Amino acid sequence: MTDLEADLRKAVRGEVGFDVTSRALVTMDASNYRRVPLGVVAPRDADDVAAVLEVCRTHGVPVVPRGGGTSIAGQATGTGVVLDFTRHMNRVLALDAEARTAVVQPGLVLDRLQDAASPHGLRFGPDPSTHSRCTLGGMIGNNSCGSHSVAWGTTADSVAELDVVTARGLRLRLGQEWAGAPTGLRELVDGELARLRTGFPELPRRISGYALDALLPEHRADVARSFCGSEGTLGVLTEAVVRLVEAPRARALAVLGYADEGAAAEAAAGLLVHRPLTVEGMAADLVPSAAALPRGGAWLFVETGGSAEAEARARAEEIVRAADVLDALVVTDPAGQRALWRIREDASGTATRMPDGSEAWPGWEDCAVPPQRLGAYLRDFRGLLVSHGLRGTPYGHFGDGCIHVRIDFDLLTGPGIARFRRFSEELADLVAAHGGSLSGEHGDGQARAELLPRMYGEEMVALFERAKGIWDPDDLLNPGMLVRPAPLDTNLRFSVLPREPVEVAFGYPADGGDFSAAVRRCVGVAKCRTTSATGSAVMCPSFRATGEEAHSTRGRARLLHEMLAGEAGELVTDGWRSEEVREALDLCLSCKGCRSDCPVGVDMATYKAEFLHHHYAGRRRPAAHHSMGRLPRWLRAVDRMRAAAVVNALASVGPLAAVAKRLGGIAPERRIPKVATETFSRWWDRRKARGAGGEPVILWPDTFTEHLSPSVGQAAVRVLEAAGLRVVLPPTVHLEKAPVGDGRTVALDPVSLLRGRGRVCCGLTYVSTGQLDRARAVLRRTLDLMAPVLETSAPVVVLEPSCAAALRTDLPELLHDDPRAARLASRVRTFAEALEQLAPGWRPPALDRPVVGQTHCHQHAVLGDLADRRLREAAGLTGDLAGGCCGLAGNFGFEKGHFEVSRACAEDQLLPAVRQAAEDAVVLADGFSCRTQLEQLAGVRGRHLAEVLAEALRSGERADVVGGP
């Protein structure tokens, strides 16, 4: 332990972390930059903050305040001690609805303030796209804005008073009329009145530099406002009084379609006379192909408000009539508006990839110009990109003239970095020529501070340095930001990564087979750090359960980044053997939620499997990897010995079950599921033959359906046959000939098919435990057995969502060298997809009941559930299923040490939804894990959709018999 760490532990009551993991988690924010801190402190209150500053001043160590870590200019990173306010100082201390103010701590997430204000009809005006995880302290530090700034301004416009602690321990209450100002600040202003009145450009989004003009007499010497945007360089915020605004009771969203972004930019300023709440713009390059937007190549998202829906709609329609557009759409439905806004908010992540999949980076994320000059500026900006051979797709706050863009800089090579510098210098000059600000929302940080003289001139920047010296004469707070900055092309986070691809098992097709590129996908926007899942979202259940950065997708990606950095990165130096990385990945549920919910498509489940594969290579594995990772093998052995009844009997004996669980690495709180005494395949073999008519479908006997829930397979057979389809099992003698795509037929060998019965496997349990060599062997054997079937056009129906997802994604990515893998993956259909695509004229029985439950996380992330929604609707099953993850997640919830997190995940959405359901609600759970979790934690029996429909079919048949002639 260093003297610094020891002194901090004595001085503060909050957590002090000088370990590898604590430091690795804060080496980066959402920028291109990386700095390795000495340690991290999570202060409990202002006294802790003052104590940290005193200790660090004594040791000559800098201090960096940090909130959600979503800054994109590098200002939330540092080499000294990082103050993490999100752990303890994260509350709403008071809310005065009459005065429309709230007292907040710096680590409070913006959405939590909105939640507190909403019952009073109030809200905090600024709302960056990271509103679900950015903090008020970070917003004040950067003077953040968001999409509603045309109506409610910047964060500085919403700040009344600030409590700060200076580097030398002064506790100040900042307000207006010089309230709380440090000694010497007023004298500086009084001596520079002329410069302060003429040296700042007039535009709504001028964030760059220090807001010294707020100290002018005509602005009532607003010290609190001047502090906003200082990026933690002047003092450390401990509390804030912020103003709230009245939230419109109703809103409408007009989406206006234009030919291109230039036309949208030209039109934006003209819409401001209608006093909209937002004027946001984006082009087609950032919009999912399936998005339901009006015709056009670019769009403006214009929100209006009113006391009622009719008033909000009328205002939106007035804007549509006034605008010269190709097409338009007005939406008043809140769910529809949220879906459209997600497209815009996710742009901060989707913009990190060009249309061809190549990487794009921040650095020039939020320049702002006067709104009337936006069209001209964008044309010049595009020309500058072309002249440097760069690409980027602008989007953002068109109504305020503020543009976000990610550019395909090459930040990995010397020539690429040199071009990054040349472009940055020329763009700074271009912005200044248009009367703009280098930063219009996110602050200067390291990305732009070096270029401030091009905007303000040397004399104004010298004035900034004098102001910094008054507040922080020892240069202790966030040095290298705003004044005396670090060069913009140093401390790049990519510099420590290996230049040659790392040898890996998965193919990583979206990243050119490069694991480093896959890890680089995480740019730090931190959508995984949301404290509540919205809608059908899944990511990131372990973070919501623990609240710890290490157990978020971003946190794990940061540790993997440091692992790849190795010795060059100073932190994780033992590569794949790293215990720090293993511990962070241990609570990853492999739910795959990040694969779909992360705006940049980070796939932590795959990264975890990859890591475990290397980590345990040639080493002893945990018992759970043998007991549950090899579950298909054990269950087949039980079946061969006809020992299911014996196994079930032994598992029901408490002492014996306890020993088995201890030996198998299974959580003692869990009950061992019962094994079916008759497998699905054996039921199939003794079943009476059915007619051979109809389209053939291959029904996949996954391990869970085969050995643990054969009733699901039986129900699926009944429904599929009722729909007129011919069901066969792979491999099987029942499909003697099957059509090939071009009309030919292929004969299937009954002997070889019978030999493989029950041995096809998706490899899921081997993949999830990182036994990738075994998974490959199992999958190659499966492809050999399925070879005759793959010569036909028959689809493969998989009832267990996790197995279907494994066949769709893990199979082709793990066996990327075998073309048969892609063929099988393309054949996979869910139960609902098979009915919709192969029996479009069939209608399910009408149940007319509400449903409750949870969409399987793998279905949400990989398979999609639109076909399921349509099938439920056709059957009269009303209502939506919850999002999130059930928490059992295959082997995760059964592993020793995971029970509490597993239960917390279930309590996030699934269990509350079931408890609040109507008495006649159908509890749907297509996954075996979900059904098991419901049974063991809530005593509720969940059913697969196939079971629900099959039961209705049987009831209908009985009714026909009773009521017949």
Side-chain angles (χ1 to χ4, degrees):
M1 185 183 299
T2 65
D3 290 342
L4 173 64
E5 180 183 358
D7 289 348
L8 285 170
R9 291 188 182 279
K10 293 175 186 176
V12 304
R13 293 180 297 110
E15 292 81 2
V16 176
F18 275 60
D19 57 285
V20 167
T21 296
S22 296
R23 297 162 64 204
L25 294 173
V26 296
T27 56
M28 293 173 276
D29 49 15
S31 72
N32 298 327
Y33 300 100
R34 173 185 177 274
R35 292 180 180 83
V36 180
L38 296 174
V40 182
V41 176
R44 289 189 176 274
D45 51 27
D47 290 342
D48 267 2
V49 172
V52 170
L53 289 169
E54 182 178 355
V55 171
C56 289
R57 185 173 64 254
T58 301
H59 287 270
V61 171
V63 175
V64 179
R66 180 180 171 107
T70 56
S71 305
I72 61 164
Q75 61 266 60
T77 67
T79 57
V81 170
V82 174
L83 292 176
D84 176 11
F85 286 100
T86 61
R87 188 170 302 182
H88 301 301
M89 299 179 68
N90 56 13
R91 294 176 294 148
V92 177
L93 298 178
L95 194 148
D96 187 333
E98 185 175 346
R100 295 184 180 177
T101 60
V103 182
V104 302
Q105 293 181 310
L108 175 70
V109 170
L110 174 58
D111 272 4
R112 302 291 74 77
L113 174 58
Q114 307 291 35
D115 291 343
S118 178
H120 306 283
L122 302 174
R123 57 163 289 148
F124 189 70
D127 57 344
S129 61
T130 54
H131 53 82
S132 62
R133 59 270 192 198
C134 70
T135 64
L136 269 295
M139 293 178 66
I140 291 169
N142 291 339
N143 194 10
S144 300
C145 309
S147 60
H148 289 88
S149 59
V150 293
W152 297 315
T154 71
T155 297
D157 295 311
S158 299
V159 165
E161 295 180 318
L162 301 175
D163 284 0
V164 304
V165 182
T166 70
R168 289 193 171 179
L170 293 176
R171 300 194 187 196
L172 306 176
R173 179 82 165 186
L174 311 184
Q176 292 183 330
E177 306 296 351
W178 294 110
T183 303
L185 188 61
R186 183 168 187 171
E187 289 77 8
L188 181 148
V189 171
D190 288 343
E192 298 285 351
L193 291 176
R195 190 180 307 282
L196 294 177
R197 285 181 172 130
T198 60
F200 292 88
E202 289 293 330
L203 70 161
R205 287 293 193 97
R206 190 254 302 160
I207 305 299
S208 285
Y210 291 132
L212 297 182
D213 57 327
L215 299 173
L216 289 166
E218 55 266 36
H219 297 148
R220 297 185 61 192
D222 195 336
V223 184
R225 184 184 185 94
S226 178
F227 187 88
C228 294
S230 58
E231 303 181 17
T233 62
L234 302 183
V236 179
L237 176 72
T238 59
E239 193 174 294
V241 180
V242 297
R243 302 184 186 96
L244 305 175
V245 297
E246 186 176 354
R249 293 185 178 180
R251 302 186 191 205
L253 179 62
V255 184
L256 312 179
Y258 295 87
D260 52 42
E261 70 186 15
E266 296 283 1
L271 301 178
L272 299 179
V273 296
H274 299 280
R275 302 182 67 183
L277 300 176
T278 68
V279 182
E280 299 289 289
M282 63 190 304
D285 288 351
L286 295 175
V287 176
S289 58
L293 294 177
R295 290 182 300 111
W299 297 268
L300 292 179
F301 287 54
V302 185
E303 188 179 69
T304 59
S307 59
E309 180 181 316
E311 181 182 357
R313 174 179 281 278
R315 290 180 176 176
E317 290 174 345
E318 177 186 357
I319 289 174
V320 171
R321 289 192 297 270
D324 183 14
V325 296
L326 291 177
D327 195 7
L329 172 69
V330 174
V331 180
T332 56
D333 169 51
Q337 292 182 57
R338 284 194 299 271
L340 290 167
W341 275 123
R342 276 195 295 271
I343 297 171
R344 161 62 186 88
E345 291 175 356
D346 283 351
S348 61
T350 55
T352 64
R353 293 279 159 163
M354 302 304 295
D356 63 2
S358 58
E359 296 166 308
W361 304 106
W364 287 98
E365 183 73 8
D366 62 325
C367 296
V369 299
Q372 296 77 9
R373 297 188 62 88
L374 181 59
Y377 167 72
L378 278 177
R379 286 192 294 273
D380 290 345
F381 172 76
R382 284 290 193 184
L384 187 62
L385 282 176
V386 171
S387 70
H388 284 270
L390 296 169
R391 296 174 298 165
T393 302
Y395 68 98
H397 315 293
F398 281 24
D400 270 338
C402 180
I403 294 301
H404 298 317
V405 64
R406 301 282 173 126
I407 300 172
D408 64 338
F409 296 120
D410 167 16
L411 299 177
L412 300 174
T413 68
I417 294 171
R419 180 169 60 168
F420 167 60
R421 167 169 282 282
R422 290 193 302 273
F423 175 85
S424 298
E425 293 169 344
E426 292 180 30
L427 182 56
D429 290 337
L430 177 63
V431 171
H434 280 275
S437 174
L438 302 186
S439 173
E441 180 165 25
H442 295 300
D444 298 308
Q446 185 179 346
R448 289 175 286 272
E450 182 189 356
L451 302 171
L452 285 177
R454 295 172 183 257
M455 173 184 169
Y456 284 114
E458 297 289 351
E459 293 180 347
M460 181 64 79
V461 171
L463 193 59
F464 292 162
E465 292 185 14
R466 289 170 57 193
K468 163 76 168 174
I470 291 170
W471 283 92
D472 179 21
D474 305 309
D475 200 18
L476 193 75
L477 298 175
N478 214 359
M481 302 297 151
L482 289 182
V483 299
R484 296 181 292 278
L488 62 87
D489 52 358
T490 59
N491 301 318
L492 293 172
R493 66 185 178 122
F494 318 101
S495 61
V496 295
L497 293 179
R499 291 294 175 261
E500 297 298 325
V502 178
E503 185 175 345
V504 287
F506 282 96
Y508 303 100
D511 298 293
D514 185 352
F515 184 66
S516 294
V519 172
R520 286 200 305 267
R521 278 183 174 270
C522 179
V523 294
V525 295
K527 192 177 178 182
C528 52
R529 277 181 53 94
T530 54
T531 56
S532 60
T534 56
S536 61
V538 172
M539 181 183 72
C540 176
S542 53
F543 175 77
R544 289 196 298 277
T546 66
E548 296 182 16
E549 174 82 9
H551 302 303
S552 69
T553 306
R554 182 179 72 172
R556 295 175 180 120
R558 291 292 177 259
L559 281 160
L560 287 169
H561 184 108
E562 297 303 326
M563 180 195 80
L564 292 172
E567 295 288 345
E570 307 174 34
L571 292 171
V572 180
T573 57
D574 47 355
W576 297 109
R577 299 300 197 199
S578 168
E579 285 301 308
E580 292 86 2
V581 178
R582 185 198 62 77
E583 288 173 5
L585 289 170
D586 182 56
L587 292 188
C588 172
L589 285 81
S590 296
C591 66
K592 288 187 177 288
C594 48
R595 186 177 178 115
S596 60
D597 294 347
C598 173
V600 292
V602 169
D603 185 0
M604 194 53 63
T606 297
Y607 304 171
K608 176 182 180 179
E610 186 76 64
F611 175 82
L612 294 176
H613 168 68
H614 295 279
H615 185 76
Y616 288 110
R619 305 169 79 189
R620 182 179 178 181
R621 284 180 170 271
H625 288 197
H626 298 288
S627 63
M628 289 176 280
R630 301 185 180 186
L631 185 66
R633 174 183 291 184
W634 305 131
L635 290 175
R636 282 198 300 270
V638 170
D639 177 49
R640 283 196 300 270
M641 294 185 292
R642 301 292 201 277
V646 175
V647 169
N648 292 337
L650 293 174
S652 66
V653 179
L656 293 178
V659 171
K661 285 185 281 189
R662 185 166 60 251
L663 293 175
I666 298 171
E669 300 91 343
R670 290 292 180 184
R671 298 193 303 275
I672 298 175
K674 290 185 176 181
V675 181
T677 54
E678 181 182 55
T679 66
F680 171 58
S681 292
R682 292 190 186 282
W683 170 84
W684 174 269
D685 287 338
R686 70 174 178 79
R687 180 173 176 264
K688 293 182 179 179
R690 295 291 188 265
E695 283 287 319
V697 296
I698 312 297
L699 186 58
W700 186 271
D702 64 84
T703 295
F704 305 99
T705 301
E706 175 76 358
H707 298 283
L708 300 171
S709 295
S711 61
V712 172
Q714 296 166 18
V717 170
R718 184 175 188 85
V719 176
L720 292 170
E721 289 184 342
L725 302 174
R726 180 159 60 99
V727 180
V728 294
L729 266 60
T732 179
V733 296
H734 296 281
L735 184 62
E736 295 179 356
K737 286 184 180 294
V740 180
D742 59 4
R744 297 178 293 110
T745 60
V746 59
L748 305 183
D749 175 15
V751 176
S752 66
L753 294 175
L754 277 174
R755 190 181 300 124
R757 173 66 63 78
R759 296 188 63 201
V760 293
C761 180
C762 69
L764 170 69
T765 59
Y766 300 104
V767 171
S768 63
T769 53
Q771 301 180 71
L772 299 186
D773 289 337
R774 181 62 183 164
R776 275 194 291 248
V778 167
L779 289 170
R780 288 198 192 281
R781 185 190 67 201
T782 293
L783 291 176
D784 291 340
L785 293 169
M786 291 290 290
V789 175
L790 292 178
E791 293 298 321
T792 76
S793 60
V796 178
V797 181
V798 186
L799 301 174
E800 175 63 38
S802 56
C803 295
L807 290 170
R808 280 235 185 125
T809 59
D810 294 331
L811 168 62
E813 291 176 14
L814 197 55
L815 296 186
H816 46 90
D817 57 343
D818 192 330
R820 299 177 302 172
R823 287 205 298 274
L824 177 54
S826 68
R827 299 285 185 81
V828 171
R829 300 290 184 273
T830 67
F831 173 70
E833 286 172 343
L835 288 171
E836 183 173 80
Q837 296 171 15
L838 303 175
W842 181 73
R843 291 291 176 268
L847 286 95
D848 299 323
R849 292 172 64 186
V851 295
V852 67
Q854 191 170 55
T855 302
H856 193 284
C857 50
H858 286 184
Q859 178 137 21
H860 166 81
V862 175
L863 308 169
D865 67 341
L866 291 180
D868 294 75
R869 290 173 181 267
R870 289 188 285 264
L871 180 56
R872 294 199 302 266
E873 182 180 356
L877 294 170
T878 58
D880 292 322
L881 302 185
C885 177
C886 75
L888 194 60
N891 59 292
F892 175 85
F894 269 94
E895 288 187 13
K896 184 179 180 180
H898 291 173
F899 179 76
E900 292 302 328
V901 171
S902 175
R903 180 164 60 184
C905 293
E907 290 288 358
D908 183 39
Q909 290 201 63
L910 176 59
L911 297 186
V914 171
R915 293 188 191 109
Q916 297 163 14
E919 288 188 9
D920 63 337
V922 176
V923 181
L924 285 179
D926 282 1
F928 175 77
S929 292
C930 304
R931 294 193 296 272
T932 302
Q933 188 80 312
L934 283 167
E935 178 188 352
Q936 296 202 357
L937 297 186
V940 172
R941 179 174 177 255
R943 292 183 292 171
H944 194 287
L945 181 57
E947 293 180 289
V948 175
L949 296 180
E951 181 181 317
L953 287 173
R954 284 193 296 269
S955 298
E957 290 174 359
R958 287 195 295 269
D960 288 343
V961 171
V962 172

